[in-house]
Amino acid sequence: MTEVVGSEAAKSPPVERRRWPRAVVIVGGIFLLSAAVVARIGRFGFNPSDQGFILAQSWRVLHGEIPQVDVMAPRPFGSAYLHLVDYLVPAPLMIGSSWVMMVQLTVSTFALVAFMTGTSPLDWGPLRLGFVFAAALISLNTYPTMAWHTVDGVFLVAVGLWLLDAGLRSGTRWQRWLGLFCLGFAVIVKQSFMFAVPVGLLILFFHPARRSQDGGRWRRMVVDVLVLGSAPLLYFGMITLAGGLPSAIAQLTGSTGAWGEGLFQFWTADLGGLRADPRTYVLPVLVGMVVLGVAWSLRARLGIPGLALRLVTAACVVAVVVFVLIDGAFAHAGAWQLKLLWIFAAAAVLDAVIRRRLPWQYLLVALLGWMASLSWGYPLPGLITGALVLGTLEVVALAVRDELPKIRGIAGGAIGAIVLGLVAVQVVAAHDKAPYADRPQGELTRALGDVVPTMRGVRTNPSVHTYVAQIRECIDRYPASRVAVLPDNAFVAPVFGVRNPLPMDWPVPIEMTGDAPLRMVEAAERLNGEGDYLILFQTVLTASLIDANPVPAAVAPDAHTFDYTPVVERVRQTLNGARVGCGSFVGFWAPRR
């Protein structure tokens, strides 16, 4: 892990020229790893509930709809703008979007490691590069490779922290401003990342590099603060000009909050049994960190016995961290992620002891883990677990750095490649066993590309294939330019190239905030007067598709449907088009007039 890292000071032109090939190799490696992940992992499994949700929002933005005004949600629509790039990738939409997500996750891992170590990826040797690529796969674990606001928030905060810190240390304006912009942009992705703005302000005011700056500091500070707030100001300024600010406030403040209670309940829950209690693995590491800190502080006095104590303790800590990874089996939701966060918090204390300073980088990464866990469906810091592991190992290596061999060149590359390969094998096995919201990979025998070209390359179980094919059949049988399939299935609009005429993409109870119920009914009333719509309702629960339960070939037009919320029932009662039954769906159709 220990490598000699060059100074961040200005490089001579020949050195700068030698750095460009490294940059090309790193960018190429990120792109190739992401493509390999999509080819071997990401394209296997599909669930209509949330996959395609962010793409649906981007599709609306592409067609000129204004967030929080024409379309409603309990979160800002920053992700909708960020994922416009998904439509530019020269690949089928779902595959291209998966690739973008994995690129984001890998770049996030690079950014966090660079931020924690105060180094540039261009100065890393092959050993550290191999470890960082492996850490990106750990952060993926069995999370789906789909566009999602939590991934976007982690990406923006990680890149923002790295670039802001690097820009302040080097005096590079574009790095500082881009970092600030990313931190501000994170706020309009999801409310849980709103803390990125005060963090950005604290770094601006108290960063060590600020102390050595000459005159004009406050003038630069004003400009920096404006850059930090530019994305939120533009977003809410647009909404205000469109007359939607009161409704936007109601939408964004009317939902149930999430506060990451699980991170703290970890210490108080009665889990029963030593083997089942995740704290069994964390407490020895905490003790080990204390021992390393004391032994490091007294290393001059303790001599050879102290050195032996540090080496043995460091080896034990590393062994426990590796065991936590293996024991957790990279599960999508599991206590292993919480263990790693608390172990990382202990590593931050050890970092403070060794470096004799406030470990503010480590504390901010831990804060990002908490922000990432502020989620209804995934209240865990899983998306940064790779950075947590690598950060912990970096600090442990510091405690014994004088005794570790300097591994460079071919040897470092070989070790890095071996670690990357071992992690890749474990992550692939975990995904094969339990793809997100679908069957094990051996049961994913049907290709969705034969239903619609935008899903070419995606494989799923026969039930999901039948379900999506029935939507295709319904759209073909009852042509209309405006189509919605309620209550799930946000993917329909971007995948089939139609427009959703309702103001919500996913009308489930937790997404219903502000005046969304009223707006949904009003939209149905407008459709009655305009025609040219097909609104379908599910008779099959999306959850049953995960179990590959049979999908009916046909149902009666008055068959029972699953609504989740009374609003969907009110929409159905309001529509006056021709009642239709199509495959497992029922609905209303009115042709173009």
Side-chain angles (χ1 to χ4, degrees), residues 259-564:
W259 297 101
E261 301 89 343
L263 301 183
F264 309 100
Q265 292 171 354
F266 173 85
W267 293 103
T268 60
D270 182 13
L271 300 172
L274 191 63
R275 176 68 177 80
D277 192 336
R279 292 162 296 194
T280 302
Y281 314 112
V282 176
L283 291 175
V285 174
L286 300 183
V287 173
M289 294 293 187
V290 172
V291 171
L292 282 173
V294 173
W296 169 265
S297 300
L298 302 177
R299 63 189 182 282
R301 280 205 227 162
L302 296 178
I304 298 299
L307 170 60
L309 178 62
R310 279 188 286 138
L311 287 172
V312 171
T313 305
C316 290
V317 169
V318 171
V320 172
V321 171
V322 173
F323 177 77
V324 166
L325 279 177
I326 296 174
D327 186 59
F330 298 100
H332 177 62
W336 68 278
Q337 302 170 29
L338 300 177
K339 299 174 196 176
L340 291 176
L341 181 59
W342 283 110
I343 289 172
F344 179 81
V349 177
L350 178 59
D351 182 74
V353 172
I354 294 175
R355 299 180 188 272
R356 297 184 178 277
R357 61 170 176 78
L358 179 70
W360 62 276
Q361 292 99 330
Y362 273 67
L363 295 177
L364 290 182
V365 172
L367 178 65
L368 176 58
W370 175 70
M371 287 190 281
S373 70
L374 302 182
S375 169
W376 294 326
Y378 190 62
L380 294 164
L383 292 169
I384 67 165
T385 45
L388 299 179
V389 170
L390 214 53
T392 301
L393 297 183
E394 288 278 357
V395 174
V396 173
L398 278 178
V400 292
R401 62 187 175 191
D402 295 332
E403 289 70 40
L404 290 179
K406 300 298 184 288
I407 305 173
R408 302 183 181 89
I410 296 176
I415 294 174
I418 290 171
V419 170
L420 175 59
L422 290 173
V423 171
V425 168
Q426 295 295 319
V427 172
V428 167
H431 271 272
D432 287 353
K433 182 180 179 181
Y436 176 73
D438 211 329
R439 306 299 301 159
Q441 189 176 119
E443 300 177 35
L444 306 180
T445 58
R446 301 301 302 274
L448 288 171
D450 60 22
V451 177
V452 58
T454 49
M455 301 191 77
R456 192 169 64 249
V458 179
R459 298 188 68 86
T460 187
N461 71 68
S463 296
V464 174
H465 183 275
T466 300
Y467 182 90
V468 177
Q470 287 179 348
I471 296 176
R472 166 88 277 174
E473 178 189 352
C474 294
I475 292 174
D476 291 342
R477 186 186 304 178
Y478 303 105
S481 65
R482 297 182 292 181
V483 179
V485 185
L486 304 178
D488 296 316
N489 315 291
F491 76 96
V492 168
V495 163
F496 290 103
V498 294
R499 299 288 302 279
N500 186 342
L502 301 175
M504 294 191 71
D505 290 303
W506 200 8
V508 294
I510 205 165
E511 296 279 324
M512 286 284 177
T513 60
D515 57 349
L518 175 62
R519 295 276 301 278
M520 287 284 285
V521 176
E522 289 176 347
E525 292 172 345
R526 283 197 305 273
L527 288 175
N528 288 334
E530 297 170 358
D532 189 24
Y533 70 83
L534 174 64
I535 308 296
L536 299 174
F537 301 88
Q538 297 171 227
T539 66
V540 173
L541 274 173
T542 308
S544 73
L545 299 174
I546 301 174
D547 298 323
N549 293 328
V551 176
V555 295
D558 59 350
H560 173 71
T561 61
F562 295 97
D563 300 334
Y564 302 147

Side-chain angles (χ1 to χ4, degrees), residues 75-76 78-79 149-150 152-153 156 185-191 193:
R75 290 167 298 275
S79 290
H149 27 252
T150 306
D152 297 337
L156 290 165
F185 199 109
V187 175
I188 61 170
V189 162
K190 190 180 179 186
Q191 292 95 318
F193 296 101

